[in-house]
Amino acid sequence: MKTTEETTTAGGGDVRLTGISKTYGDFTAVHPLDLTVPQGSFFALLGASGCGKTTTLRMIAGLEEPTSGTVHLGDQDVTALPPYKRPVNTVFQSYALFPHLDIYENVAFGLRRRGIKSVKKQVEEMLELVQLGEQARKKPHQLSGGQQQRVAVARALINHPKVLLLDEPLGALDLKLRRQMQLELKRIQTEVGITFVHVTHDQEEAMTMADCVAVMNAGRVEQLGTPADLYENPRTTFVANFLGTSNFIEAEVDATSGDDIVLKAGGGKLVLHRSRASAPATTGGKILAGVRPEKISLTHADDAGRIPEGRNRITGRITESSFIGVSTQFVVDSPVCSDFEVYVQNIDRDPRLAPGAEVVLHWNPAHTFGLDAAQDIDAGVETVEEEVV
Ligand SMILES: Nc1ncnc2c1ncn2[C@@H]1O[C@H](COP(=O)(O)OP(=O)(O)O)[C@@H](O)[C@H]1O
Ligand SMILES: [Mg+2]
């Protein structure tokens, strides 16, 4: 959808935060932060409850005054502007529609407030965009939660902001509806092409929707990247654990040869490609070797001879196995890691792979990533699961 307003607001839809921070008394909610959100991108701020996401978003909106730093929208320094003078709109978890107005009037509200008389065309366009044309004359309470949230999005977008800020907009919806709305919001963003900054604590949500994700931890951006890049190349244990599951082996650098780093762990050797090590590898030094559960194959110890050469391998014993249809998730106790997680796709199931079985875990060395050993292996673990919204 392209409208005239949009063409006039085109350009300058990027958000640039420079040294922005927020302290409350002696508590720092957001440490000085530099961040550029490219125009037209779907950008997610991802992190556990309390890490500073809402505070960051509110500083962009002008609802919170930064302790230091500046906010630019395009070329314009908006740091000193009040919220209503900034070309941004915010959608919150509690969509707060006007209960006495029908859907049409809820969407028309921003235009009417600006004294615009002929709202019909734009309101209809917006209702069509969020696929609620049929519901125009209903009151908010007659709609589902997902539909109400779409009204809230339409009500914000009709003002043609350069940037739409969304603060856990799907948090109140049940899981199935949330999945649908994720795709729906992504479609809307693609269609209108404006910058979306989406705050969520749900890693799957961020990965599904965003072009670029900033993973926040305790008031800092820990890593920034595309979903695939963050997943495949986490640079800290926090990111490795917060986005999906990672297995870590505390290893010692045994030797380096060409592009390979040979690691020693629990009496065995593992290979790490140098390009995948985000910490310096010096002989005798420590490194954390990480590998994702779905990258690992599981072979019964009796068949160990059939494992191809050149794979990283460790031995262990299965302690748990959960069949979940598309895959079986195993927990394996090994000398180098007491709770190794392995996901085996459900193609040909080996009935011997059951708790108690002695197994060999093996994977392509290219799937090993190396992290600085001087960090907490469990940083970021289960933060998502523990959270109650
Ligand atoms: N007005 C305030 N006064 C004091 N502390 C605050 C205030 N607003 C937020 N905080 C604190 O700042 C931290 C970050 O909050 P917030 O940005 O809301 O986190 P998130 O949105 O990631 O859950 C939290 O520890 C919160 O308690
Ligand atoms: Mg919040």
Side-chain angles (χ1 to χ4, degrees), residues 61-73:
L63 299 164
E64 202 77 66
E65 194 187 333
T67 307
S68 71
T70 57
V71 180
H72 280 78
L73 296 174

Side-chain angles (χ1 to χ4, degrees), residues 75-314:
D75 298 331
Q76 193 187 7
D77 184 342
V78 299
T79 318
L81 291 184
Y84 64 91
K85 287 197 176 157
R86 299 187 185 200
V88 302
N89 269 93
T90 311
V91 174
F92 299 98
Q93 176 173 331
S94 57
Y95 9 93
L97 301 176
F98 304 113
H100 56 291
L101 297 181
D102 65 18
I103 300 315
Y104 187 100
E105 285 305 322
N106 263 283
V107 174
F109 182 80
L111 299 180
R112 297 219 192 276
R113 195 176 50 177
R114 283 187 281 147
I116 297 168
K117 292 270 162 17
S118 52
V119 300
K120 187 165 183 289
K121 182 167 171 290
Q122 288 195 61
V123 172
E124 282 173 359
E125 255 178 25
M126 276 302 148
L127 287 173
E128 196 187 324
L129 175 70
V130 299
Q131 298 179 331
L132 288 174
E134 312 277 289
Q135 321 289 337
R137 292 303 166 192
K138 287 190 177 162
K139 293 281 173 60
H141 71 90
Q142 293 172 296
L143 300 187
S144 72
Q147 289 173 324
Q148 291 185 43
Q149 193 54 287
R150 268 141 65 194
V151 177
V153 170
R155 189 178 59 173
L157 285 177
I158 204 162
N159 300 316
H160 295 286
K162 286 184 182 171
V163 182
L164 187 68
L165 306 176
L166 304 112
D167 194 352
E168 312 253 7
L170 311 181
L173 308 178
D174 66 46
L175 188 64
K176 194 157 170 234
L177 202 50
R178 210 153 77 210
R179 295 268 176 275
Q180 283 172 10
M181 277 296 289
Q182 288 166 5
L183 300 175
E184 188 65 4
L185 274 180
K186 179 79 188 162
R187 177 190 64 77
I188 292 171
Q189 192 271 338
T190 312
E191 216 165 309
V192 297
I194 67 167
T195 314
F196 276 34
V197 183
H198 179 104
V199 158
T200 180
H201 67 273
D202 180 335
Q203 50 114 352
E204 254 181 61
E205 182 164 306
M207 302 247 271
T208 312
M209 301 172 79
D211 308 314
C212 186
V213 179
V215 182
M216 287 188 75
N217 178 21
R220 289 189 169 87
V221 170
E222 185 118 352
Q223 196 175 339
L224 182 76
T226 63
D229 184 39
L230 292 173
Y231 187 81
E232 301 298 350
N233 301 303
R235 285 201 304 267
T236 63
T237 53
F238 180 87
V239 173
N241 291 322
F242 194 74
L243 286 180
T245 298
S246 295
N247 297 297
F248 285 114
I249 300 163
E250 285 175 325
E252 189 185 312
V253 177
D254 191 45
T256 55
S257 75
D259 290 337
D260 288 347
I261 300 168
V262 182
L263 305 175
K264 218 164 44 180
K269 298 269 168 79
L270 298 170
V271 170
L272 164 70
H273 292 174
R274 188 185 293 277
S275 62
R276 302 218 54 203
S278 66
T282 44
T283 305
K286 297 260 186 273
I287 203 161
L288 284 178
V291 59
R292 295 289 194 178
E294 75 282 3
K295 304 288 199 285
I296 302 168
S297 302
L298 211 52
T299 297
H300 193 275
D302 292 349
D303 296 342
R306 295 191 203 155
I307 301 169
E309 285 297 305
R311 289 175 67 81
N312 278 341
R313 58 173 80 198
I314 59 177

Side-chain angles (χ1 to χ4, degrees), residues 24 27 29 47-56 64 167-168 199:
Y24 297 107
F27 175 74
S49 181
C51 73
K53 306 180 295 296
T54 295
T55 306
T56 305
E64 202 77 66
D167 194 352
E168 312 253 7
V199 158

